[in-house]
Amino acid sequence: VSDFEAGNYKKAEQSFINIISEYDAYDIESKWLLSLCYILNEKQTLAEPLLKELGNQKSLYQSSAQKLYKELK
């Protein structure tokens, strides 16, 4: 998260990928932040499936993910 907050989106991207593969407890938040990293790194096509998944899950990020997904489409 510190890399993301510092604007190191490429480094943060890899960190979130690792967290998602290793820790289920942080899955939703990590997917949300990873999707933002993808967008900021101009990888929108990688962000879309994550946003779609998050938009279909009841969570803190559901409505934001739905909105951002629609904006990318």
Side-chain angles (χ1 to χ4, degrees):
V1 174
S2 61
D3 286 321
F4 181 85
E5 290 173 346
N8 299 324
Y9 304 119
K10 289 185 182 186
K11 189 173 179 184
E13 183 180 312
Q14 189 56 52
S15 296
F16 291 128
I17 290 169
N18 292 339
I19 291 169
I20 290 166
S21 68
E22 295 179 22
Y23 304 101
D24 289 338
Y26 303 106
D27 194 52
I28 292 173
E29 182 176 7
S30 295
K31 285 181 179 180
W32 170 249
L33 292 171
L34 178 58
S35 69
L36 297 179
C37 284
Y38 283 150
I39 292 167
L40 293 166
N41 288 328
E42 299 182 13
K43 298 178 181 178
Q44 286 82 352
T45 56
L46 294 174
E48 289 174 7
L50 291 173
L51 292 170
K52 186 174 184 180
E53 178 184 342
L54 291 168
N56 291 326
Q57 294 179 337
K58 294 226 182 250
S59 73
L60 176 67
Y61 306 104
Q62 184 178 23
S63 63
S64 297
Q66 289 171 342
K67 181 179 177 184
L68 194 50
Y69 179 76
K70 288 177 185 176
E71 289 177 13
L72 293 177
K73 284 301 198 172

